[in-house]
Amino acid sequence: MRRVARLLAALSVALPLLLVAAPAEAALPMIHRVRGIEDAHQVITVTNRSWSSTYATLQAWERRGDGTWRSVYGPWTARVGRNGFGQPKYEGDGQTPVGTYLMTGLFGTRALSYTRFRYTVVGRDDVWVDDSGSAYYNTHQRLPADGRWRSAESLYQPVPYAHAAIVGYNPHRWAGRGSAIFLHVTTGSATAGCVSLPASQVVPLLRWLNPSKRPRIIMGPEAAVTYR
């Protein structure tokens, strides 16, 4: 009995130490669990635990010179598509696409200085073509259409598109697979498929993005974008 008592006492000391030394995988920072980082040195993660929720947690990360990662911004509460996340995504489905995508540019109805990406100030003639039958599908164009497309989203929207970053979704411009996916200023509600944040958070993110660091955004429910 004394031997059993001594063994139980030893286990009562060792077990907490083992738990501290071997944290659960879920406790690791998101950047150490997501798939699709590839050659990026800047990563934005937009994740939650639900396909249907219109809310997600956004965090921004940067890779140090020694290969380790540091948290730069967040965690912040972001809004995503009115129908949550989708895989695959289709034009007009109200879903935010799941996966890993390059950040490819910046624009806005208001000027923004000190950005590393080229920043385009858009006006009333600027549109993003969402006509999947057009040769200009999923590209930024300027009016008039002159028969080149039948429908396009106006980029002259002073609230959501005051400042925005372009997500390189559907770069091959496959017909019907979705267009105009941006990181933009929130309107206070879910989006049509973009990711949105308050302007006070969007602006520093846009200034932080650096094309030389191959920035990526990784979006989706945790189960879909992390290692299991």
Side-chain angles (χ1 to χ4, degrees):
M1 290 297 292
R2 290 181 180 178
R3 290 181 179 178
V4 173
R6 285 197 296 269
L7 179 59
L8 290 174
L11 286 174
S12 68
V13 174
L15 186 58
L17 293 175
L18 289 172
L19 291 175
V20 170
E25 181 182 354
L28 290 172
M30 178 59 64
I31 194 63
H32 297 295
R33 296 187 284 126
V34 290
R35 295 181 282 110
I37 292 174
E38 299 184 16
D39 60 350
H41 281 68
Q42 289 182 331
V43 172
I44 297 172
T45 56
V46 183
T47 59
N48 61 20
R49 296 185 178 180
S50 167
W51 285 88
S52 60
S53 175
T54 67
Y55 291 88
T57 298
L58 183 147
Q59 293 179 270
W61 313 84
E62 187 158 315
R63 197 195 305 255
R64 299 184 181 96
D66 63 1
T68 61
W69 291 87
R70 69 183 182 96
S71 174
V72 180
Y73 294 114
W76 292 334
T77 299
R79 300 302 300 271
V80 294
R82 63 179 178 271
N83 291 318
F85 285 113
Q87 189 183 47
K89 175 180 171 56
Y90 296 101
E91 189 69 46
D93 63 6
Q95 295 182 317
T96 298
V98 173
T100 173
Y101 309 102
L102 288 169
M103 306 299 290
T104 60
L106 311 177
F107 72 91
T109 61
R110 298 176 60 185
L112 185 63
S113 58
Y114 309 112
T115 62
R116 295 177 174 88
F117 268 104
R118 178 183 177 184
Y119 185 94
T120 301
V121 177
V122 295
R124 297 182 184 277
D125 290 338
D126 289 279
V127 299
W128 201 277
V129 179
D130 57 15
D131 173 11
S132 61
S134 169
Y136 300 90
Y137 180 54
N138 198 26
T139 64
H140 172 205
Q141 300 295 327
R142 289 180 59 81
L143 296 173
D146 289 334
R148 294 177 294 164
W149 59 82
R150 293 174 297 176
S151 63
E153 179 180 357
S154 172
L155 296 183
Y156 190 73
Q157 299 184 48
V159 175
Y161 297 158
H163 304 295
I166 302 167
V167 176
Y169 171 73
N170 194 12
H172 302 293
R173 300 189 288 117
W174 289 320
R177 291 300 297 271
S179 60
I181 302 300
F182 310 126
L183 169 62
H184 64 69
V185 176
T186 186
T187 62
S189 60
T191 72
C194 298
V195 176
S196 69
L197 291 167
S200 61
Q201 296 171 347
V202 171
V203 168
L205 263 183
L206 268 54
R207 286 179 169 150
W208 167 73
L209 289 171
N210 186 341
S212 70
K213 296 189 176 183
R214 302 284 292 169
R216 284 185 171 271
I217 186 167
I218 300 173
M219 306 184 291
E222 290 182 16
V225 297
T226 60
Y227 294 102
R228 298 181 182 180

